[in-house]
Amino acid sequence: MIELSYIHLDNNRFTGELPESAFFFYSCVELTLSDNDLRGPIPQNFDRDRLYLVLGDNRIENRIDTLNLKGNRFSGNIPEEFAQRLTNLRFLDLSQNLVSGKIPDVTWGSSNLEHLYLDNNKIQGAIPKSLPKTLQSFTVTYNTLTSTIPTEMGLLTNLERFEAQDNFISGGIPTEIGALSNLMILYLGYNRLDGTLPTELGQLSSIKAIIFKQMAMTGTIPKEYGNWENVWGVDMSGNKLEGTIPTEFGKLTNMQYLLFRSNLLTGRVPSELGKFSDIRVVSLDRNFLVGSIPSEICNLTVGTDFRELQTDCTVSCSCCSTCNSGIDDCSAVFNAC
């Protein structure tokens, strides 16, 4: 029995509750029990990869709160009925499959859904406006989403993680996202987003990491971003940002990774960046910066994990132990000063 791969028990007269033992055949990839008289809940410990389960036309109660189907080869659309009928679902992971079509823009039946992972699929269309307001995590990276980020994202006040990089999303970054006081992770890089950076994002009091890499953002870096007191990583490389690096960034003492390379930034490197006590990487090359690396930053190279500074060769660096000069940039690796 333990070597069975396919178990088909449809159209019988099985009664009673679905036993947990039905899921103990770990070699089984397909279990069908439709058209019986089974009732009660699906066992709460049901968390199986690579199992095709059919329970249609029974009296099964829907009490599933966790459904992890990551890393299979599921294809096709996410049915609207699926979104509407899983009323107790809290965790749904469909990442790393072959799911296509659109994310259902319906009223999701679960008012309890907290985590929705749809990464690495072939999902198209737009991010729905009707996502559950209970969401804490929503990730849709590496798909083919288009259209814009809906302003309704600003209503998901419980959201802690929003990852949508590597898609084809266009338009601007909604100012409403600045209202997400619980948001810790915001990854939007490698999209077609443009326009200016909203100053309202400076209100993200819980933010820890932001990736706006390889987009078409313009304008200046708002000084309000100096309010991100919990942030440890910021990557805004590969945009068209202008102006100077705000001195207010010196207040971000938890910063470990600061990447502004390949923009249109001008002026000097602020000495205030020397307050980064935990800094590891600063990437400022392929801009139009001038002057020299301030001594306050050089002082960080002693007895710390600060290991890499990339800057234009037009910016002198007296404390760099090695400097590998290229056509457009120099990479400074700190060993000792």
Side-chain angles (χ1 to χ4, degrees):
M1 289 288 287
I2 59 174
E3 298 299 325
L4 284 176
S5 297
Y6 301 90
I7 302 177
H8 295 172
L9 299 173
D10 311 279
N11 296 296
N12 284 286
R13 297 181 181 179
F14 294 126
T15 60
E17 294 190 356
L18 189 64
E20 292 186 9
S21 58
F23 302 101
F24 288 169
F25 300 104
Y26 292 106
S27 62
C28 183
V29 295
E30 185 170 305
L31 173 61
T32 65
L33 288 162
S34 59
D35 291 295
N36 283 286
D37 193 26
L38 296 170
R39 63 189 67 202
I42 294 176
Q44 286 296 301
N45 65 350
F46 171 60
D47 186 6
R48 286 278 309 279
D49 292 339
R50 294 180 170 82
L51 175 62
Y52 180 65
L53 177 64
V54 179
L55 296 172
D57 294 305
N58 280 283
R59 301 184 186 183
I60 300 293
E61 298 174 16
N62 178 16
R63 295 182 185 174
I64 299 176
D65 62 10
T66 299
L67 189 56
N68 184 352
L69 300 173
K70 178 181 178 179
N72 288 280
R73 297 186 62 83
F74 294 123
S75 60
N77 301 346
I78 302 174
E80 291 188 1
E81 296 81 3
F82 182 81
Q84 292 172 316
R85 295 178 62 182
L86 294 177
T87 54
N88 293 288
L89 202 62
R90 293 182 182 272
F91 180 101
L92 175 59
D93 191 345
L94 292 172
S95 60
Q96 298 180 29
N97 281 285
L98 301 173
V99 178
S100 58
K102 300 179 179 180
I103 303 172
D105 195 359
V106 297
T107 302
W108 285 63
S110 176
S111 60
N112 301 309
L113 189 62
E114 297 174 352
H115 305 281
L116 178 58
Y117 300 106
L118 301 172
D119 313 271
N120 293 87
N121 280 287
K122 298 181 179 181
I123 298 172
Q124 306 167 349
I127 295 174
K129 299 178 181 180
S130 58
L131 291 170
K133 292 181 174 59
T134 50
L135 276 182
Q136 297 177 20
S137 303
F138 177 58
T139 65
V140 287
T141 61
Y142 299 104
N143 281 285
T144 55
L145 292 170
T146 55
S147 191
T148 59
I149 299 174
T151 58
E152 287 79 2
M153 290 296 298
L155 300 175
L156 307 181
T157 55
N158 294 306
L159 198 63
E160 299 176 358
R161 178 183 293 267
F162 176 30
E163 300 181 19
Q165 71 265 31
D166 285 276
N167 282 282
F168 300 95
I169 301 170
S170 59
I173 299 174
T175 59
E176 289 80 0
I177 290 180
L180 302 179
S181 60
N182 292 306
L183 192 65
M184 293 186 286
I185 304 294
L186 179 59
Y187 293 169
L188 300 177
Y190 294 100
N191 277 290
R192 297 177 178 177
L193 294 166
D194 56 17
T196 58
L197 294 170
T199 58
E200 289 82 357
L201 297 188
Q203 302 170 19
L204 296 174
S205 56
S206 299
I207 199 69
K208 293 185 176 181
I210 279 188
I211 296 180
F212 291 167
K213 185 177 183 179
Q214 294 295 329
M215 302 195 297
M217 305 307 296
T218 58
T220 60
I221 302 170
K223 64 180 181 180
E224 288 81 0
Y225 292 3
N227 296 326
W228 293 338
E229 59 181 17
N230 296 306
V231 75
W232 56 261
V234 174
D235 189 350
M236 297 186 182
S237 304
N239 285 282
K240 300 177 182 179
L241 299 173
E242 303 173 336
T244 59
I245 300 171
T247 59
E248 287 79 4
F249 268 66
K251 298 187 297 182
L252 308 179
T253 56
N254 293 312
M255 187 73 74
Q256 297 181 26
Y257 301 91
L258 181 65
L259 297 92
F260 287 146
R261 77 187 312 256
S262 298
N263 279 285
L264 305 173
L265 299 175
T266 56
R268 295 177 176 271
V269 178
S271 61
E272 286 79 2
L273 301 190
K275 299 177 182 178
F276 291 163
S277 57
D278 293 326
I279 195 66
R280 299 183 181 184
V281 176
V282 175
S283 179
L284 305 175
D285 56 299
R286 298 177 187 267
N287 281 286
F288 297 94
L289 300 170
V290 296
S292 61
I293 298 298
S295 60
E296 290 86 350
I297 296 178
C298 286
N299 292 338
L300 295 176
T301 67
V302 180
T304 69
D305 292 325
F306 193 11
R307 64 175 184 265
E308 187 173 350
L309 169 65
Q310 297 176 337
T311 183
D312 296 315
C313 290
T314 54
V315 178
S316 62
C317 180
S318 61
C319 63
C320 302
S321 59
T322 59
C323 183
N324 302 315
S325 179
I327 296 176
D328 299 308
D329 62 276
C330 297
S331 296
V333 181
F334 298 118
N335 295 319
C337 292

